[in-house]
Amino acid sequence: MGKEMIAMLLAGGQGSRLHVLTQKLAKPAVPFGGKYRIIDFPLSNCVNSGIDTVGILTQYQPLVLNEYIGNGQPWDLDRLYGGVHILPPYQQASGSDWYKGTANAIYQNIDFIQRYDPKYVIILSGDQICKQDYSDFLRFHKSKNAEFSVAVMEVPWEEASRFGLMVADDDDRIIQFQEKPKEPKSNLASMGIYIFNWDILKKYLQEDEEDENSENDFGKNIIPNLLKDGRRMYAYHFNGYWKDVGTISSLWEANMEVLDPEKSGINLFDENWKIYSRNSGMPGHKINPGAQISDSMITDGCVIDGTVRHSVLFSGVIVEKGAVIEDAVVMGGSIIKAGARVSHCIIAENAVIGEEAVVGAMPAKGESPSQGVATVGSGVYIGDKAVIGPDAMISENVKDGEQR
C-alpha cells in the first residue's frame, strides 16, 4: 500500500554564512528560540500535517543532527512503516559519494522514495523557521491538477531581486521563473518548498543526472526544464510565518521575533500547532532576589542574579550578580559572569563571558537594528575585562583584558 505523500528534507547545508555557529554543526541543528533546533520546525509541520514518512538528507557535520533526530520519537515519527530516516550520501558503485546539488541529493535516494511508492513528494528545506500546513498545500496541488507546485511568499518589491521569483498568471499557473534577477517581473519569492507528482519528479531527476552540464539544482535546472516542457506548474501563496535563517542577522531577528508573537506571527506557545523537540529535562528557571528581567524569554534551568532585557536565554544559562544582558541571544549552558555586559549579540552554547567583560554594543541611533550583531562561538572563553566589539566573530578564547 503506497503512501499518498512523503517528505524529503534537505538538511545538508553547510550554513557558511552562520560562521562560527556552524563550524561543528549542520545548519538545521543550530539551536533556536530557547528549546528548539531549526529542524524541529519542518519536522513538526510534517507531523501536524499528517505526513508520517520523512527522509532527512544530511551531508555536512551530521553527528549532532543524527543524534538529535534519533528514532524520531519526540516528533511521533518512530514508525514501523515510514517514520524518519537519516539519508547520508553513500559511496555507490558508480563513484559519487557526496551530494552534488539539491536535485542530485534526491536522485541518490530514488530507491528510498520508491519503497513507499508515493503519489506525491514534498521537498522541504531544513534551514527555515516556518509554521506551515502541508496538507493545505497538497489540497491546492490536487485542485489545480498540477504536476509541480511551489510555495511562494509575497516579498517587498525592493527586496525581490534577492530571491528566486515565480511569475504566474491569474490562475496561479507559473509562466516564468527568474533566479535573483536584476529587474524582477514578480514579487512571488520561492520558499524552496515543492510538491511534485512522483512520476514527474523521477523522470526529471533521471534526465538531469544524465546531463553532464547540469549543476543538479532545483532552482537552476529542474524548474527551468519543467517550464521548457510546458508542465502544469503552480504557485501556492503562503502567508504565515516564514524566515530563512541563513545569516547571523536573520537568525538573530527570528529569535527576537519569538519575544513578540502577536506582531511577528511566530507563536511557540500555540497549542493547536505544537513545535515538538527533543527537550532537555532541566528544572524550571530560577530568578533570584535582585535580578531584573523584562521583555525576555528565559528557558528551563537558567539561574539569574543579574539584569536581562529583551533577550532570549536558552536552557541552563547562568547570569551572575551585576551582569547585564540586553538584546542578546544566549544559547544553552553559557555563563555570564559578575559585572559583564552582553548586548546586541549571539553567544553560542557553553561559552563563558568573564567578569566585567564587554561583548557587543547597542546600535547607534539611525543604524539598522539587525546590523552589528557580535557572535561568540560555542565553548569559547572570553577573559575578564575583555572587550568584544560589534560585528566581531569570535571562534577561539580571548585573554583577560584583550580587545577585539
Side-chain angles (χ1 to χ4, degrees), residues 88-194:
Y90 53 90
Q91 192 92 35
Q92 294 173 327
S94 59
S96 170
D97 62 343
W98 197 245
Y99 293 145
K100 296 197 287 281
T102 50
N104 174 259
I106 307 287
Y107 171 82
Q108 283 198 36
N109 289 288
I110 280 178
D111 290 350
F112 169 81
I113 300 173
Q114 203 56 60
R115 272 169 57 190
Y116 299 101
D117 191 24
K119 242 178 135 166
Y120 308 101
V121 177
I122 187 165
I123 293 169
L124 304 170
S125 164
D127 49 19
Q128 299 172 347
I129 304 293
C130 174
K131 293 174 82 169
Q132 181 176 6
D133 184 352
Y134 303 141
S135 57
D136 188 62
F137 186 10
L138 180 60
R139 272 193 295 276
F140 168 87
H141 179 83
K142 290 176 173 170
S143 73
K144 296 292 187 188
N145 194 21
E147 294 173 306
F148 163 87
S149 298
V150 54
V152 296
M153 275 200 90
E154 287 189 30
V155 294
W157 278 95
E158 61 271 18
E159 287 179 34
S161 55
R162 288 176 34 218
F163 297 93
L165 302 172
M166 299 293 163
V167 185
D169 66 14
D170 294 345
D171 189 38
D172 294 323
R173 185 160 182 169
I174 296 164
I175 48 179
Q176 199 183 341
F177 173 62
Q178 295 183 296
E179 180 70 74
K180 299 183 179 165
K182 284 197 171 59
E183 294 177 12
K185 294 184 186 173
S186 156
N187 68 336
L188 298 179
S190 165
M191 295 164 60
I193 298 175
Y194 314 120

Side-chain angles (χ1 to χ4, degrees), residues 47-358:
V47 176
N48 291 331
S49 303
I51 297 170
D52 66 4
T53 307
V54 185
I56 299 179
L57 288 76
T58 61
Q59 176 145 290
Y60 172 81
Q61 296 283 26
L63 280 175
V64 174
L65 189 60
N66 294 357
E67 183 181 64
Y68 184 71
I69 299 299
N71 66 353
Q73 181 265 324
W75 304 271
D76 191 28
L77 286 168
D78 48 338
R79 306 295 176 94
L80 285 173
Y81 178 57
V84 70
H85 298 262
I86 303 275
L87 303 170
Y90 53 90
Q91 192 92 35
Q92 294 173 327
S94 59
S96 170
D97 62 343
W98 197 245
Y99 293 145
K100 296 197 287 281
T102 50
N104 174 259
I106 307 287
Y107 171 82
Q108 283 198 36
N109 289 288
I110 280 178
D111 290 350
F112 169 81
I113 300 173
Q114 203 56 60
R115 272 169 57 190
Y116 299 101
D117 191 24
K119 242 178 135 166
Y120 308 101
V121 177
I122 187 165
I123 293 169
L124 304 170
S125 164
D127 49 19
Q128 299 172 347
I129 304 293
C130 174
K131 293 174 82 169
Q132 181 176 6
D133 184 352
Y134 303 141
S135 57
D136 188 62
F137 186 10
L138 180 60
R139 272 193 295 276
F140 168 87
H141 179 83
K142 290 176 173 170
S143 73
K144 296 292 187 188
N145 194 21
E147 294 173 306
F148 163 87
S149 298
V150 54
V152 296
M153 275 200 90
E154 287 189 30
V155 294
W157 278 95
E158 61 271 18
E159 287 179 34
S161 55
R162 288 176 34 218
F163 297 93
L165 302 172
M166 299 293 163
V167 185
D169 66 14
D170 294 345
D171 189 38
D172 294 323
R173 185 160 182 169
I174 296 164
I175 48 179
Q176 199 183 341
F177 173 62
Q178 295 183 296
E179 180 70 74
K180 299 183 179 165
K182 284 197 171 59
E183 294 177 12
K185 294 184 186 173
S186 156
N187 68 336
L188 298 179
S190 165
M191 295 164 60
I193 298 175
Y194 314 120
I195 291 180
F196 280 90
N197 295 359
W198 170 224
D199 55 345
I200 294 289
L201 176 60
K202 185 160 66 172
K203 168 181 156 65
Y204 279 82
L205 288 177
Q206 286 166 339
E207 287 173 7
D208 179 67
E209 197 61 27
E210 285 160 19
D211 176 1
E212 288 174 10
N213 300 318
S214 175
E215 291 180 56
N216 308 120
D217 184 85
F218 278 101
K220 290 176 188 156
N221 307 107
I222 302 284
I223 294 173
N225 287 343
L226 289 163
L227 262 172
K228 196 171 77 222
D229 294 350
R231 292 291 177 182
R232 294 183 58 80
M233 303 168 68
Y234 284 85
Y236 168 76
H237 293 252
F238 174 70
N239 51 18
Y241 183 87
W242 174 68
K243 194 154 214 138
D244 184 338
V245 286
T247 63
I248 291 289
S249 60
S250 62
L251 179 63
W252 175 85
E253 270 175 13
N255 273 283
M256 290 293 135
E257 282 166 347
V258 165
L259 301 174
D260 194 357
E262 281 180 21
K263 189 173 159 200
S264 68
I266 177 163
N267 179 8
L268 297 181
F269 303 96
D270 181 356
E271 284 296 309
N272 299 322
W273 198 269
K274 280 190 177 166
I275 302 300
Y276 299 92
S277 149
R278 191 179 289 283
N279 284 340
S280 54
M282 284 192 169
H285 52 262
K286 177 89 167 64
I287 312 250
N288 288 325
Q292 293 185 313
I293 297 176
S294 63
D295 194 15
S296 295
M297 183 178 276
I298 313 292
T299 320
D300 302 1
C302 289
V303 180
I304 298 175
D305 285 282
T307 299
V308 182
R309 291 192 286 265
H310 195 252
S311 293
V312 175
L313 270 56
F314 289 65
S315 51
V317 170
I318 293 171
V319 182
E320 295 184 358
K321 269 199 169 71
V324 177
I325 298 175
E326 186 169 6
D327 259 21
V329 177
V330 184
M331 294 179 184
S334 290
I335 300 171
I336 314 298
K337 296 205 154 183
R341 290 192 73 88
V342 171
S343 41
H344 199 66
C345 61
I346 296 180
I347 310 283
E349 293 164 294
N350 304 314
V352 177
I353 310 301
E355 292 189 9
E356 294 181 42
V358 175

